[in-house]
Amino acid sequence: MKISRKIRKGYALALAFLLVLPCLVYIRTEAAVAIDTEAKCSLTVSVEGSEYEGELDELNVPVSLYRVAGVDETGRYTPEAPFTELDFGSISDKTTAEDWRRMSEEAERHMEEAEPVKEIEVKKPEEGTGKAEGVFENLNPGMYLVAPAEIYNTNYSVKYVFTPYLTALPSSEYTLTGTGSDEWNYNPKVGFKAESEEQYGKLNITKILNNYNETLGKTSFVFEITSRENDSAGNPLYSNVVSTTHEGPGEQTVTLEGLPAGITVTVKEVYSGASYTLDGAGETDALIWSDKAVEEGAGETASVTFRNKYDGGNRGGYGVTNHFASDGNNGWTWENPTQGLPEENN
């Protein structure tokens, strides 16, 4: 299971020319040639230039396109229902990327009231080579809202969330950058504005007591959970210590939540209770599936089981306090909760 690191960025992504947000500067340019309002346009959406290009290139990204405004020959935009509250009349050479972001957010608030004019999937070509992309075709000139749907990677360990944004058809080098040619491009290419969100899952640890000595009273068992994967500093991506306390034979389960999806943890019984011994393996591995993967039937909640039996001893004791601390050398040390206790409790 591939591990994806959690990365969260702001809205501004540095994309190459023709992959940047196509409405960053003055739209109503004094173009040498008027817009052909009868022409048909296309819009290519590509993963190229995205911060997550490698990951998204392996996935299918659904994208919806909404028509927000019409345009006349001079480049003046008239908003269309249900986006009529958008004020394109305020666009000037002072309009900033932040202004366009706010306008895109306002348009996004009206998405549920509108029907997309077209829907596509951005994916790798079925034949040949090339980056994943999708093409909206046969579009009328105007202003559009590009709205990719959130998706998960193949093992549901990462969710990708996309920022909808406005784009103009046709566009030009000048409208993209403020410099260069003002020749209208009726078939531009745009990219994604994405964030990644690490997903989390659960781990069930079940302790089964085959038999139990009632005269000794309650007994506790301690489990150490450590990921096999480390972070850049060499520390485990996850580490914890938990315990169960029993008042009779049978089973008891403790559930840990918030474990990074995609990691493999080693669960080890590090304390087997006073007068009890392991009946079977004392260490096992488990793969953590995200809650979303379990919900979609792509995986199952990680579960491990340990079994113990009474060993004939006469020592009782329970209620240990666990502590798992850094050893100062990029590692972790379990501090024995029973160390120093009187013999009758240890």
Side-chain angles (χ1 to χ4, degrees):
M1 205 172 188
K2 182 180 178 182
I3 309 303
S4 294
R5 56 193 174 91
K6 180 179 181 181
I7 309 173
R8 298 188 60 86
K9 299 291 184 183
Y11 285 105
L13 296 179
L15 300 181
F17 171 63
L18 291 182
L19 293 175
V20 294
L21 178 61
C23 294
L24 297 183
V25 295
Y26 191 28
I27 291 294
R28 292 202 306 255
T29 65
E30 296 180 0
V33 179
I35 292 176
D36 181 358
T37 58
E38 300 299 320
K40 292 300 182 181
C41 306
S42 71
L43 179 66
T44 299
V45 184
S46 172
V47 302
E48 187 177 355
S50 168
E51 182 177 2
Y52 307 102
E53 179 179 318
E55 295 92 332
L56 297 178
D57 197 38
E58 302 300 322
L59 304 174
N60 293 353
V61 185
V63 184
S64 297
L65 190 68
Y66 297 83
R67 183 174 170 85
V68 174
V71 64
D72 64 18
E73 294 179 350
T74 67
R76 295 179 182 273
Y77 290 87
T78 302
E80 300 177 351
F83 304 99
T84 51
E85 294 181 6
L86 274 69
D87 182 15
F88 292 108
S90 63
I91 298 172
S92 73
D93 56 356
K94 305 297 184 183
T95 303
T96 65
E98 180 63 20
D99 294 330
W100 280 109
R101 184 186 67 80
R102 286 195 295 267
M103 195 174 297
S104 296
E105 289 178 346
E106 184 176 350
E108 183 183 0
R109 286 194 288 270
H110 295 282
M111 273 174 41
E112 291 186 0
E113 307 167 39
E115 288 292 331
V117 293
K118 290 182 183 292
E119 296 176 312
I120 61 169
E121 275 195 337
V122 173
K123 57 185 179 181
K124 278 194 169 181
E126 294 182 3
E127 297 181 0
T129 59
K131 295 295 182 180
E133 65 179 30
V135 182
F136 291 104
E137 297 179 317
N138 200 33
L139 300 171
N140 294 322
M143 185 74 70
Y144 290 85
L145 182 68
V146 181
E150 65 182 31
I151 60 169
Y152 292 83
N153 64 347
T154 54
N155 60 28
Y156 292 90
S157 63
V158 176
K159 179 169 73 172
Y160 295 98
V161 180
F162 302 90
T163 303
Y165 59 86
L166 292 169
T167 188
L169 294 176
S171 186
S172 72
E173 183 179 353
Y174 183 83
T175 59
L176 287 168
T177 66
T179 61
S181 172
D182 60 1
E183 181 179 354
W184 293 114
N185 178 5
Y186 292 84
N187 305 285
K189 179 185 288 190
V190 295
F192 285 124
K193 294 165 64 67
E195 298 179 63
S196 69
E197 298 179 357
E198 184 175 341
Q199 300 299 291
Y200 298 90
K202 299 181 180 66
L203 170 66
N204 293 325
I205 302 175
T206 299
K207 163 58 63 182
I208 299 175
L209 281 185
N210 295 344
N211 47 22
Y212 179 78
N213 187 326
E214 293 184 359
T215 62
L216 298 179
K218 299 178 182 179
T219 186
S220 295
F221 302 83
V222 180
F223 308 93
E224 173 188 297
I225 307 95
T226 308
S227 65
R228 291 169 56 181
E229 299 84 4
N230 297 329
D231 60 20
S232 58
N235 297 317
L237 291 177
Y238 183 87
S239 60
N240 203 350
V241 174
V242 296
S243 63
T244 60
T245 298
H246 303 253
E247 299 182 65
E251 70 177 52
Q252 185 180 138
T253 298
V254 58
T255 300
L256 297 175
E257 299 188 12
L259 284 75
I263 67 171
T264 297
V265 295
T266 298
V267 186
K268 182 177 181 181
E269 183 171 304
V270 292
Y271 178 70
S272 297
S275 301
Y276 292 85
T277 187
L278 276 163
D279 182 15
E283 180 177 319
T284 187
D285 290 340
L287 177 64
I288 305 301
W289 288 92
S290 69
D291 295 335
K292 184 64 176 180
V294 175
E295 177 186 328
E296 295 294 328
E300 57 185 17
T301 301
S303 300
V304 297
T305 301
F306 297 89
R307 187 181 294 272
N308 290 69
K309 60 184 178 181
Y310 174 57
D311 66 4
N314 60 1
R315 295 177 301 160
Y318 71 95
V320 297
T321 300
N322 307 296
H323 183 59
F324 203 56
S326 171
D327 63 5
N329 295 309
N330 294 327
W332 297 88
T333 301
W334 173 63
E335 297 181 0
N336 188 343
T338 65
Q339 186 173 353
L341 293 179
E343 181 65 25
E344 62 269 22
N345 291 323
N346 194 355

